[in-house]
Amino acid sequence: MTKKKIAELACMELEKIYPDVKCSLNFSKPYELMFAARLSAQCTDARVNVVTETLFKKYPTLEAFAGADLAELEQDVKPCGFYHTKAKSLKEMAEKLLADFGGEVPQTMEELLTLPGIGRKTANLMMGDVWGKPAIVTDTHCIRITGRLGLTENKEPAKVEKDLVKVIPPEISSHFCHQIVQFGRDICRARGPKCGECPLNYFCRYYKANAKEERK
């Protein structure tokens, strides 16, 4: 079975299960999604949402973040872990958005990558969820599951992204990535995946390999 066919089947099955899935990070302004995504590194989205509920009220504007006392901001984001680095990123992102982009989140990958603490994963999230453009967000769920399905042989996010761009239709690519995240939480988990009840197992390389091993 070709990678294109596997991708087609995966998209079809995931759409049946998660037709209405959305980004699990809460935000009401474009920059808030970017800040929440930065805080989510090595932290659960659920915890980030708890932190940002208070954080975005305390700092309601980019100017407020830019002018924040760094030590105080560190304490505000401490529950998300790596708080020294993350607080510094938020403050610097706010400063750069105000200084270089007139307080607006840029709409191109190239410009997004100039922001402190922003890599391709977060930039793609912004491209897809804020600007409605084709985007492949290669988080750990995406890398793990597309690897198990046989859509990529790579583990490096940028290489996985390049592989998936070839087989996932651009108009649904952002939605597909959100579906993959939820699927990874519910069924195709890192440890103890529920292969027996997985609706994708009839074309999954990982399932076939493990089923053979179990029969030995």
Side-chain angles (χ1 to χ4, degrees):
M1 193 180 293
T2 66
K3 290 182 180 180
K4 200 102 177 174
K5 184 60 180 178
I6 293 169
E8 181 186 326
L9 291 171
C11 290
M12 179 185 73
E13 295 294 352
L14 289 172
E15 185 61 22
K16 290 178 188 175
I17 319 170
Y18 307 114
D20 303 315
V21 72
K22 292 186 174 76
C23 178
S24 53
L25 292 169
N26 296 335
F27 68 100
S28 58
K29 302 171 187 174
Y31 75 81
E32 289 182 350
L33 174 59
M34 191 163 62
F35 286 16
R38 180 68 188 94
L39 293 175
S40 71
Q42 305 297 311
C43 182
T44 65
D45 289 356
R47 176 167 290 185
V48 171
N49 286 336
V50 171
V51 170
T52 56
E53 185 175 3
T54 303
L55 188 72
F56 293 154
K57 288 175 184 174
K58 182 173 180 179
Y59 305 98
T61 64
L62 282 172
E63 288 81 3
F65 273 105
D69 176 77
L70 185 57
E72 187 175 347
L73 185 56
E74 286 177 349
Q75 293 307 306
D76 293 330
V77 303
K78 192 172 183 178
C80 296
F82 302 97
Y83 59 98
H84 294 300
T85 307
K86 291 180 180 180
K88 185 170 180 285
S89 288
L90 298 195
K91 187 173 170 67
E92 289 179 350
M93 278 193 278
E95 291 169 348
K96 190 168 180 68
L97 285 172
L98 290 166
D100 295 356
F101 299 103
E104 299 293 330
V105 175
Q107 298 190 31
T108 68
M109 175 66 70
E110 293 71 26
E111 289 175 317
L112 285 165
L113 291 176
T114 67
L115 297 167
I118 298 300
R120 289 192 67 86
K121 184 175 82 169
T122 300
N124 270 304
L125 181 67
M126 299 300 294
M127 295 288 283
D129 278 58
V130 175
W131 307 125
K133 297 181 180 182
I136 297 287
V137 181
T138 50
D139 72 339
T140 55
H141 293 292
C142 179
I143 294 168
R144 178 179 73 254
I145 295 166
T146 56
R148 284 176 175 175
L149 289 173
L151 293 176
T152 181
E153 306 299 330
N154 292 299
K155 299 290 186 185
E156 188 183 320
K159 290 181 179 178
V160 173
E161 180 187 340
K162 193 174 286 188
D163 290 339
L164 295 182
V165 163
K166 297 172 186 174
V167 295
I168 304 297
E171 67 275 13
I172 63 166
S173 56
S174 177
H175 185 54
F176 169 81
C177 291
H178 289 313
Q179 290 174 323
I180 279 284
V181 169
Q182 196 57 53
F183 180 65
R185 289 170 178 161
D186 294 344
I187 298 173
C188 195
R189 301 177 301 196
R191 295 181 181 180
K194 301 177 182 178
C195 292
E197 58 188 77
C198 175
L200 278 61
N201 66 18
Y202 68 96
F203 60 88
C204 176
R205 184 176 65 176
Y206 178 88
Y207 175 72
K208 287 176 182 174
N210 282 276
K212 286 178 184 175
E213 285 298 317
E214 287 173 8
R215 285 197 295 267
K216 284 181 180 179

